[in-house]
PDB file of all heavy atoms in Angstrom:
ATOM      1  N   ILE A  25     -48.405  45.353  39.241  1.00  0.00           N
ATOM      2  CA  ILE A  25     -47.142  44.767  39.685  1.00  0.00           C
ATOM      3  C   ILE A  25     -46.554  43.952  38.529  1.00  0.00           C
ATOM      4  O   ILE A  25     -47.235  43.132  37.906  1.00  0.00           O
ATOM      5  CB  ILE A  25     -47.356  43.934  40.956  1.00  0.00           C
ATOM      6  CG1 ILE A  25     -47.714  44.872  42.110  1.00  0.00           C
ATOM      7  CG2 ILE A  25     -46.119  43.097  41.285  1.00  0.00           C
ATOM      8  CD1 ILE A  25     -48.121  44.212  43.381  1.00  0.00           C
ATOM      9  N   VAL A  26     -45.307  44.272  38.231  1.00  0.00           N
ATOM     10  CA  VAL A  26     -44.597  43.656  37.103  1.00  0.00           C
ATOM     11  C   VAL A  26     -44.320  42.172  37.421  1.00  0.00           C
ATOM     12  O   VAL A  26     -43.826  41.835  38.495  1.00  0.00           O
ATOM     13  CB  VAL A  26     -43.287  44.428  36.875  1.00  0.00           C
ATOM     14  CG1 VAL A  26     -42.377  43.667  35.920  1.00  0.00           C
ATOM     15  CG2 VAL A  26     -43.559  45.844  36.409  1.00  0.00           C
ATOM     16  N   ALA A  27     -44.630  41.310  36.465  1.00  0.00           N
ATOM     17  CA  ALA A  27     -44.469  39.862  36.671  1.00  0.00           C
ATOM     18  C   ALA A  27     -43.099  39.366  36.232  1.00  0.00           C
ATOM     19  O   ALA A  27     -42.412  40.009  35.425  1.00  0.00           O
ATOM     20  CB  ALA A  27     -45.568  39.111  35.891  1.00  0.00           C
ATOM     21  N   PHE A  28     -42.740  38.225  36.758  1.00  0.00           N
ATOM     22  CA  PHE A  28     -41.517  37.501  36.405  1.00  0.00           C
ATOM     23  C   PHE A  28     -41.334  37.506  34.884  1.00  0.00           C
ATOM     24  O   PHE A  28     -42.277  37.260  34.137  1.00  0.00           O
ATOM     25  CB  PHE A  28     -41.628  36.049  36.906  1.00  0.00           C
ATOM     26  CG  PHE A  28     -40.420  35.212  36.597  1.00  0.00           C
ATOM     27  CD1 PHE A  28     -39.384  35.114  37.527  1.00  0.00           C
ATOM     28  CD2 PHE A  28     -40.324  34.529  35.399  1.00  0.00           C
ATOM     29  CE1 PHE A  28     -38.249  34.357  37.247  1.00  0.00           C
ATOM     30  CE2 PHE A  28     -39.189  33.764  35.115  1.00  0.00           C
ATOM     31  CZ  PHE A  28     -38.164  33.681  36.026  1.00  0.00           C
ATOM     32  N   GLY A  29     -40.112  37.734  34.474  1.00  0.00           N
ATOM     33  CA  GLY A  29     -39.823  37.706  33.024  1.00  0.00           C
ATOM     34  C   GLY A  29     -39.614  39.098  32.461  1.00  0.00           C
ATOM     35  O   GLY A  29     -39.031  39.264  31.392  1.00  0.00           O
ATOM     36  N   ASP A  30     -40.102  40.138  33.185  1.00  0.00           N
ATOM     37  CA  ASP A  30     -39.885  41.499  32.736  1.00  0.00           C
ATOM     38  C   ASP A  30     -38.419  41.893  33.021  1.00  0.00           C
ATOM     39  O   ASP A  30     -37.949  41.702  34.152  1.00  0.00           O
ATOM     40  CB  ASP A  30     -40.829  42.442  33.487  1.00  0.00           C
ATOM     41  CG  ASP A  30     -40.865  43.836  32.854  1.00  0.00           C
ATOM     42  OD1 ASP A  30     -39.765  44.454  32.697  1.00  0.00           O
ATOM     43  OD2 ASP A  30     -41.948  44.321  32.543  1.00  0.00           O
ATOM     44  N   PRO A  31     -37.712  42.428  32.019  1.00  0.00           N
ATOM     45  CA  PRO A  31     -36.295  42.756  32.220  1.00  0.00           C
ATOM     46  C   PRO A  31     -36.034  43.749  33.370  1.00  0.00           C
ATOM     47  O   PRO A  31     -34.941  43.741  33.940  1.00  0.00           O
ATOM     48  CB  PRO A  31     -35.862  43.370  30.875  1.00  0.00           C
ATOM     49  CG  PRO A  31     -37.016  43.289  29.948  1.00  0.00           C
ATOM     50  CD  PRO A  31     -38.172  42.643  30.641  1.00  0.00           C
ATOM     51  N   VAL A  32     -37.017  44.574  33.722  1.00  0.00           N
ATOM     52  CA  VAL A  32     -36.800  45.556  34.794  1.00  0.00           C
ATOM     53  C   VAL A  32     -36.458  44.860  36.112  1.00  0.00           C
ATOM     54  O   VAL A  32     -35.771  45.408  36.973  1.00  0.00           O
ATOM     55  CB  VAL A  32     -38.008  46.520  34.949  1.00  0.00           C
ATOM     56  CG1 VAL A  32     -39.202  45.853  35.611  1.00  0.00           C
ATOM     57  CG2 VAL A  32     -37.622  47.788  35.722  1.00  0.00           C
ATOM     58  N   LEU A  33     -36.945  43.638  36.287  1.00  0.00           N
ATOM     59  CA  LEU A  33     -36.684  42.889  37.523  1.00  0.00           C
ATOM     60  C   LEU A  33     -35.262  42.334  37.581  1.00  0.00           C
ATOM     61  O   LEU A  33     -34.833  41.893  38.639  1.00  0.00           O
ATOM     62  CB  LEU A  33     -37.713  41.729  37.658  1.00  0.00           C
ATOM     63  CG  LEU A  33     -39.174  42.125  37.843  1.00  0.00           C
ATOM     64  CD1 LEU A  33     -40.051  40.870  37.878  1.00  0.00           C
ATOM     65  CD2 LEU A  33     -39.384  42.947  39.117  1.00  0.00           C
ATOM     66  N   LYS A  34     -34.573  42.335  36.450  1.00  0.00           N
ATOM     67  CA  LYS A  34     -33.208  41.795  36.407  1.00  0.00           C
ATOM     68  C   LYS A  34     -32.165  42.898  36.343  1.00  0.00           C
ATOM     69  O   LYS A  34     -30.980  42.627  36.203  1.00  0.00           O
ATOM     70  CB  LYS A  34     -33.058  40.847  35.195  1.00  0.00           C
ATOM     71  CG  LYS A  34     -33.979  39.658  35.192  1.00  0.00           C
ATOM     72  CD  LYS A  34     -33.844  38.780  36.430  1.00  0.00           C
ATOM     73  CE  LYS A  34     -32.515  38.037  36.487  1.00  0.00           C
ATOM     74  NZ  LYS A  34     -32.392  37.303  37.768  1.00  0.00           N
ATOM     75  N   LYS A  35     -32.625  44.139  36.404  1.00  0.00           N
ATOM     76  CA  LYS A  35     -31.711  45.280  36.256  1.00  0.00           C
ATOM     77  C   LYS A  35     -31.272  45.820  37.605  1.00  0.00           C
ATOM     78  O   LYS A  35     -32.082  45.887  38.542  1.00  0.00           O
ATOM     79  CB  LYS A  35     -32.476  46.402  35.513  1.00  0.00           C
ATOM     80  CG  LYS A  35     -31.748  46.949  34.317  1.00  0.00           C
ATOM     81  CD  LYS A  35     -32.693  47.801  33.486  1.00  0.00           C
ATOM     82  CE  LYS A  35     -32.484  49.272  33.732  1.00  0.00           C
ATOM     83  NZ  LYS A  35     -33.359  50.112  32.901  1.00  0.00           N
ATOM     84  N   LYS A  36     -29.995  46.246  37.689  1.00  0.00           N
ATOM     85  CA  LYS A  36     -29.542  46.940  38.897  1.00  0.00           C
ATOM     86  C   LYS A  36     -30.154  48.349  38.842  1.00  0.00           C
ATOM     87  O   LYS A  36     -29.964  49.079  37.855  1.00  0.00           O
ATOM     88  CB  LYS A  36     -28.025  46.985  38.881  1.00  0.00           C
ATOM     89  CG  LYS A  36     -27.400  47.290  40.210  1.00  0.00           C
ATOM     90  CD  LYS A  36     -25.896  47.196  40.156  1.00  0.00           C
ATOM     91  CE  LYS A  36     -25.289  48.105  41.189  1.00  0.00           C
ATOM     92  NZ  LYS A  36     -24.791  47.401  42.370  1.00  0.00           N
ATOM     93  N   ALA A  37     -30.868  48.720  39.892  1.00  0.00           N
ATOM     94  CA  ALA A  37     -31.614  49.982  39.872  1.00  0.00           C
ATOM     95  C   ALA A  37     -30.700  51.197  40.152  1.00  0.00           C
ATOM     96  O   ALA A  37     -29.622  51.055  40.720  1.00  0.00           O
ATOM     97  CB  ALA A  37     -32.747  49.935  40.875  1.00  0.00           C
ATOM     98  N   GLU A  38     -31.164  52.367  39.750  1.00  0.00           N
ATOM     99  CA  GLU A  38     -30.408  53.624  39.859  1.00  0.00           C
ATOM    100  C   GLU A  38     -30.679  54.310  41.197  1.00  0.00           C
ATOM    101  O   GLU A  38     -31.807  54.286  41.695  1.00  0.00           O
ATOM    102  CB  GLU A  38     -30.880  54.609  38.778  1.00  0.00           C
ATOM    103  CG  GLU A  38     -30.737  54.138  37.351  1.00  0.00           C
ATOM    104  CD  GLU A  38     -29.328  54.287  36.837  1.00  0.00           C
ATOM    105  OE1 GLU A  38     -28.673  55.276  37.244  1.00  0.00           O
ATOM    106  OE2 GLU A  38     -28.889  53.460  36.047  1.00  0.00           O
TER     107      GLU A  38
END
Side-chain angles (χ1 to χ4, degrees):
I25 293 173
V26 169
F28 180 92
D30 192 306
V32 75
L33 295 176
K34 299 303 291 174
K35 231 167 102 178
K36 198 175 152 104
E38 301 279 327

